[in-house]
Every structure is written in structure tokens, then in C-alpha cells.
Amino acid sequence: MSDLIVLGIESSCDETSAAVVKNGRVVMSNVISSQVDLHQKFGGVVPEIASRKHVELIMPVINQSLEEAGVNMHEIDVVGVTYGPGLVGALLVGLSAAKGLAFALNKPLVGVHHIEGHIAANYLEHPDLEPPFICLVASGGHSHIVYVESYNRFEIMGQTRDDAAGEAFDKIARAIGLGYPGGPLVDKAACQGNCEAIPFPRVRFGEGSMDFSFSGLKTAVLNYLHNMEQKGEKVNIEDVAASFQQAVVDVLVENTLKAAKLKDVKKIALAGGVAANSLLRNQLKSRAEKLNFGVFYPRPILCTDNAAMIACAAFYEYQNGSRAGLELNAVPGLKLGEK
Amino acid sequence: MIEIRTDSVEETVDIGTKLGSLLEKGDIICLSGNLGTGKTAFTNGIAAALGIEGYITSPTFTIVNEYKGRLPLYHFDVYRIADPEEMFEIGFEEYTDGNGVVVIEWPEQIQDILPAERIWVEIKKDLAAGVDTRIITIEFKGKKYSEYEKHWKG
């Protein structure tokens, strides 16, 4: 079998990213706008609001991904692109570039769901991992428990009813003055704190539900901070961070294990930015392994929004016969499993 | 201006529903209030009145979430917007001139580009009265919206 080379493009939120992936599993390049120095591409002038300047970043990022992979445009077999969910204006930039390339090169175009991409990041990290498994996708914008039945079939088993897990981290970091991005900063502060110091609530929706709610937890932390201030007592930031983080991780792990037992799978995977959280990784690993589940997660760079994961997901969609026409549109509210 | 006191999240949602039932396409609701006061809960109420099914999740990370209902709902959280210019890049005008209702959390961030006619909702905690107590003030600015105020007071 000859190699199948996929160019992946991702621009659903803040990051502009392009990557080249061989046979769905080998990352040849993975260029992410915030991670690389693109200054010289702008002739030394960096726009103040570069994070949203997908239009200016997209071609330099694509070119760099081809250069780093050592392939030219004509060696690309398939163009894979995120078409939802996300910001419509941001999605359209990557999508238009992908359509233009697919048309000019006369290569097939494959549309990818952003969350499907996050799940696929695990295939890049673990070459032997195959479905079925349960995947917890937790990031700034998403908190989903997904049953990955096959490379192309997904079932959402639980999701947040208000704030996403990553967002809860950001908001708490903001409230206790740790700054942005909140995830790594709370994680770091929590290492110095006592996770049992403050009994923050764990929201559960009964036996049958694997849904999450983090809004009440956020309010509980804010009320705690206010009460301490009223009493004139000093707040131990590390204890707040540790107790909050424990409350989030407890429900994430419990619901994920519940889903894994229900579907009787052998493997559990983590994906999305929150998958980089050290407590989540450790607790899921220790609790799941006691129950004989294998636990998988990608390295941090593959947990953030990146195009390698999109190229990987596109590979499996392509193998399954998926082809998008040039009329493919951005779908900001795209649901997982919808085509 | 209308001022209401609510003592639970559910009551805050209900006030959102009452406001939502008055809304028409092109309406703009600015939702001001600190972290954890119930802005997203209030938006859930508006969404229910617009016939939107499912949960309204926070758009903090995504900047805007879109929902289909009797009228589409465009739910913005502009906390991460550093410069109002950025709003034009994400097509803000297309939303405000569109076919749906626009709800904007943290509207102070983009004060300069907000239309003069708008509904301004402010949610404040009243901790002396209780941890779940909120004071909600609704200001109807402009001719169109002052009609809503009359309906509200009915």
C-alpha cells in the first residue's frame, strides 16, 4: 500500500494550525500559530490582535507545515479541515483555504468535526490504540464523554449543562488572581495545597446521567472567597486551587468510569486541553487501572487545538468514504456524529 | 427601568424567560454582572422563551454560541475581547443586523461599538440577603424597547 498523506487545517477558535500526517498516524509536521515564531513572515510587524488574524496567518502556517514535513503541495493526497463547531468567521478562513487547495490541486476534501479531531489525537500518540473506547474530551469550550464505537461512529454519553471544565479552571484562576490561562496555573498552585481543605460541591445528576455542571462549583468558590473576606480571614490560594481542582476531577473521573462500565469497554482515553491536567491524568489512571481499564492520553501539544489531530481524523473519515464537495460550509453549532 | 429581586437560580431563569417572551429579531440584550452572578442562567431563560431546546452553555471560550429556535439566539461572551475592533473580525455586525436575538455578556468590554438602543440588564449579588439573592435591573433604551417596558409593566 502506498502512503496516504493528509494536509490538516484547523482554525476553529484562537489557533491557526496546519499539519502533515502520513497514513493517519505519523506526524510529519504540526505548525500551531501561537507556538512558532512567525514574526519574520510579517516582515517584523506583528499585528496587535494576531490571535484572531487567521487570514494573515493561514498561508504562512500552511507553507511552514509543508516545509517542515519536506513535502510539496502536489504530494498531498487529501485535504482535511475543521468545519465545526467554532466561530464562524474563524472556521471560514481554514475552510476557504482548504477548499482552494483541494480545488487547485484536484485532491479530495474531507470535513472534520473539531471534537473528533481531539479524540483522534490519541491515535497519534498511541499507534496501537484502536476503538472501541470511552473518551473524555475536556477543554475550554467542551466537556463531553464520548463512546468511540469505531473510527467514524460516536455517541455522546454526557456533557456539561453550563460551563466547560477548562472554562471553570480559567474563571477560578481569575477569581483567585492567578491569571491566564487558568488550567496550568491552578494545577501548579494546587500542588502546594490541601485538596481536602474546603468541601466544595460535586454536582451529580443521578444514576443514569453522565452530565456535568461546573457553574455551581464556580459560585461556591466565589461565595467562599467572599465569606473569608467578610470575616477578614486570609485565603489560602493553594488550598482553594487544590480543593476546587479535586472537585472538578472527581466528577470527571466518576462519570468517565461510569460510561466505561456501561459500555463494557477495556480502554479509556483523555483529550482536549484539560487532559494535560496532572491530577486528572493521575487519578483517572490509578482509579481506572484498578478496574483493569487501559488509560491513554496525548502529550500536551496534541491536547491543544492543533491540525495534526484534524489530519488524523480526516484520514479515518477518508478511509470510510467521506468526501466533501466545494459547497462544504462552516457549521458553528455542529454536533458530534452529525454529517 | 425595572428592578427585580430573585432568591434562587430558578427565579433568575424565570425573569430571563419573561424578557425572552417580549423579544423580536434584531434585539440586543446586554448582560452585565460579575463572575457567578447568573448571566448564563438568565440567558437560559431567554432561550426557553425563544423555543430553544437543550442547555445553553457558557460561550466564554468560543466567544459566541448560536442556537436555533422560534428566533435564532446569538449568545456572546466578550470577556476575552481586548479591542472592540476584534468584534468586526468575527462578523459582529452580521449578528446584530441578523434574524435573531443577540445576548452579550461582559458588554462593558465593547461599549464603544454597542448600538445606543439596547436592553441593558445588570445582575448584582445581594449577599446581605443571601448567597443566592440577586438584584436584577433592566433598562430599556430607545423607542422600540420602551414599548417592551410598557408590556412588562402591563
Side-chain angles (χ1 to χ4, degrees):
Chain A
M1 194 184 86
S2 65
D3 289 336
L4 191 97
I5 297 187
V6 181
L7 171 69
I9 298 173
E10 153 70 36
S11 67
S12 63
C13 197
D14 291 354
E15 300 285 9
T16 317
S17 179
V20 179
V21 171
K22 189 164 75 180
N23 300 331
R25 298 274 179 164
V26 182
V27 181
M28 299 172 74
S29 67
N30 190 18
V31 179
I32 306 170
S33 57
S34 67
Q35 307 285 332
V36 292
D37 185 15
L38 289 161
H39 290 210
Q40 71 269 33
K41 315 262 176 193
F42 292 109
V45 184
V46 183
E48 197 184 26
I49 37 184
S51 67
R52 269 172 240 285
K53 291 261 174 179
H54 290 292
V55 176
E56 288 173 28
L57 290 165
I58 191 79
M59 285 321 290
V61 164
I62 290 173
N63 286 334
Q64 188 157 338
S65 75
L66 293 169
E67 202 177 296
E68 284 181 18
V71 299
N72 69 52
M73 282 199 184
H74 299 279
E75 290 171 277
I76 299 295
D77 297 304
V78 174
V79 181
V81 63
T82 310
Y83 73 110
L87 266 171
V88 69
L91 286 164
L92 281 172
V93 175
L95 188 57
S96 305
K99 283 198 233 179
L101 284 170
F103 179 69
L105 300 169
N106 195 23
K107 300 289 176 174
L109 176 71
V110 175
V112 173
H113 189 289
H114 181 74
I115 293 184
E116 199 183 320
H118 274 300
I119 295 167
N122 280 288
Y123 302 135
L124 296 172
E125 187 70 55
H126 308 283
D128 299 326
L129 177 68
E130 285 180 14
F133 56 87
I134 290 293
C135 189
L136 168 66
V137 187
S139 67
H142 311 280
S143 300
H144 289 83
I145 293 178
V146 182
Y147 172 45
V148 184
E149 193 183 341
S150 71
Y151 286 111
N152 315 100
R153 288 180 66 90
F154 307 92
E155 179 191 335
I156 294 177
M157 301 187 67
Q159 57 193 311
T160 183
R161 297 189 182 182
D162 39 53
D163 294 356
E167 185 184 333
F169 274 93
D170 280 339
K171 287 183 174 171
I172 292 313
R174 204 198 286 177
I176 57 180
L178 289 176
Y180 184 88
L185 295 167
V186 170
D187 197 355
K188 197 174 160 208
C191 290
Q192 315 293 322
N194 172 7
C195 67
E196 289 172 0
I198 311 145
F200 290 131
R202 275 83 169 148
V203 176
R204 299 176 176 94
F205 293 101
E207 250 339 272
S209 177
M210 279 148 273
D211 279 356
F212 303 110
S213 167
F214 296 114
S215 179
L217 171 60
K218 172 187 73 188
T219 307
V221 175
L222 294 170
N223 287 342
Y224 171 81
L225 295 173
H226 177 83
N227 286 340
M228 294 296 279
E229 194 190 320
Q230 292 293 93
K231 286 191 260 176
E233 286 178 38
K234 199 178 171 300
V235 173
N236 182 324
I237 300 294
E238 287 77 19
D239 283 353
V240 174
S243 302
F244 159 79
Q245 178 172 265
Q246 189 66 52
V248 174
V249 167
D250 277 352
V251 286
L252 289 177
V253 171
E254 273 170 35
N255 286 357
T256 305
L257 290 175
K258 202 193 271 186
K261 286 178 201 161
L262 204 68
K263 290 293 180 186
D264 197 22
V265 293
K266 301 278 177 286
K267 293 164 276 188
I268 295 173
L270 283 174
V274 180
N277 180 271
S278 63
L279 185 77
L280 176 62
R281 287 181 176 214
N282 296 338
Q283 299 231 323
L284 183 68
K285 214 168 156 44
S286 68
R287 289 184 61 182
E289 283 176 352
K290 265 184 213 150
L291 298 164
N292 292 320
F293 291 112
V295 174
F296 301 84
Y297 41 79
R299 78 197 72 163
I301 196 71
L302 291 173
C303 290
T304 62
D305 287 353
N306 70 90
M309 68 185 197
I310 301 303
C312 173
F315 172 84
Y316 288 104
E317 284 295 330
Y318 177 80
Q319 298 286 70
N320 196 41
S322 168
R323 307 285 186 276
L326 291 177
E327 72 285 351
L328 181 68
N329 205 352
V331 185
L334 185 68
K335 303 258 190 320
L336 188 65
E338 258 178 25
K339 296 279 172 210
Chain B
M1 198 172 77
I2 291 164
E3 188 176 295
I4 308 129
R5 169 183 158 155
T6 63
D7 291 304
S8 67
V9 178
E10 291 73 22
E11 283 179 41
T12 298
V13 172
D14 288 346
I15 299 301
T17 305
K18 185 170 178 185
L19 179 63
S21 66
L22 300 173
L23 299 176
E24 292 168 9
K25 79 172 194 182
D27 285 353
I28 297 171
I29 299 95
C30 299
L31 256 182
S32 169
N34 269 327
L35 209 58
T37 45
K39 297 185 291 299
T40 300
F42 189 90
T43 309
N44 253 293
I46 293 178
L50 297 179
I52 291 158
E53 288 169 20
Y55 302 103
I56 298 299
T57 54
S58 172
T60 304
F61 189 75
T62 50
I63 314 278
V64 58
N65 285 340
E66 304 181 19
Y67 302 91
K68 290 183 194 126
R70 170 172 68 80
L71 290 173
L73 170 67
Y74 306 120
H75 183 200
F76 283 83
D77 181 334
V78 299
Y79 185 85
R80 300 197 303 130
I81 300 288
D83 180 337
E85 274 292 302
E86 294 176 19
M87 292 300 284
F88 296 112
E89 281 166 40
I90 63 170
F92 183 58
E93 289 158 303
E94 283 164 49
Y95 290 100
T96 53
D97 296 340
N99 292 315
V101 167
V102 175
V103 172
I104 307 164
E105 298 190 19
W106 299 96
E108 298 83 358
Q109 301 279 114
I110 57 164
Q111 190 79 260
D112 298 350
I113 62 162
L114 289 172
E117 295 208 353
R118 66 219 180 188
I119 300 172
W120 190 278
V121 180
E122 189 157 336
I123 311 180
K124 278 187 177 153
K125 289 190 186 183
D126 185 354
L127 288 159
V131 288
D132 293 322
T133 299
R134 303 288 185 268
I135 304 297
I136 302 173
T137 52
I138 308 177
E139 209 177 334
F140 296 88
K141 287 188 176 172
K143 195 160 171 274
K144 178 186 181 187
Y145 298 128
S146 57
E147 289 299 314
Y148 292 7
E149 188 164 2
K150 284 179 202 154
H151 276 284
W152 185 291
K153 289 174 175 165

